[in-house]
């Protein structure tokens, strides 16, 4: 990619779903403009925090996706309502028992924001 960038085929390099160490290795080869990473109540693990810290330290822009938890914070997500081809059906957090647990988290977040007079969005 660094060669293609140097040849003028594109202006910036961005990467998606990377680990902090991978980001450091990539920046050593060529400047990285942005990293796309899931940031939501269901995807804020230790590695996510490390990536965000590394981005900050290296001056790389964070592009977050699914901040609303892929529908969880709508309060209306039901496994049976997801179409058969919906990718969420493949994830463990959308299986019946996990979905029930995660809905409790969404309900707790909803209660907090309602007290503050704001929306979950």
């Amino acid at each position: 990619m660094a060669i293609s960038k140097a040849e003028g085929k594109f202006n910036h390099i961005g990467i998606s779903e990377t680990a902090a160490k991978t980001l450091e290795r990539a920046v050593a080869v060529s400047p990285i403009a942005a990293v796309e990473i899931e940031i939501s109540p269901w995807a804020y693990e230790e590695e996510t925090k490390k990536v965000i810290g590394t981005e900050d330290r290296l001056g790389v822009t964070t592009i977050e996706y699914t901040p609303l938890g892929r529908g969880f914070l709508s309060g209306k997500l039901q496994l049976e309502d997801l179409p058969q081809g919906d990718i969420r059906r493949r994830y463990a957090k959308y299986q019946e028992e996990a979905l029930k647990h995660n809905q409790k988290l969404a309900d707790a977040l909803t209660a907090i924001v309602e007290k503050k007079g704001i929306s979950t969005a």
Side-chain angles (χ1 to χ4, degrees), residues 36-98:
E36 179 189 46
I37 188 167
E38 180 175 359
I39 299 175
S40 76
W42 293 271
Y44 201 63
E45 295 108 3
E46 193 59 37
E47 186 59 30
T48 302
K49 295 174 188 177
K50 287 179 186 176
V51 170
I52 294 168
T54 302
E55 291 170 328
D56 187 47
R57 181 172 49 81
L58 298 173
V60 176
T61 300
T62 303
I63 301 172
E64 338 50 90
Y65 68 91
T66 67
L68 300 179
R70 296 182 192 255
F72 270 115
L73 294 181
S74 70
K76 298 175 181 143
L77 183 66
Q78 299 296 323
L79 185 60
E80 62 271 7
D81 295 336
L82 296 177
Q84 286 302 315
D86 193 308
I87 194 166
R88 292 175 289 182
R89 287 183 164 273
R90 298 181 192 161
Y91 299 138
K93 63 185 166 187
Y94 292 95
Q95 301 312 307
E96 190 170 346
E97 287 305 310

Side-chain angles (χ1 to χ4, degrees), residues 16-44:
S16 180
E17 292 297 325
T18 188
K21 289 184 185 265
T22 303
L23 175 57
E24 289 176 344
R25 287 195 320 264
V27 168
V29 174
S30 182
I32 302 298
V35 171
E36 179 189 46
I37 188 167
E38 180 175 359
I39 299 175
S40 76
W42 293 271
Y44 201 63

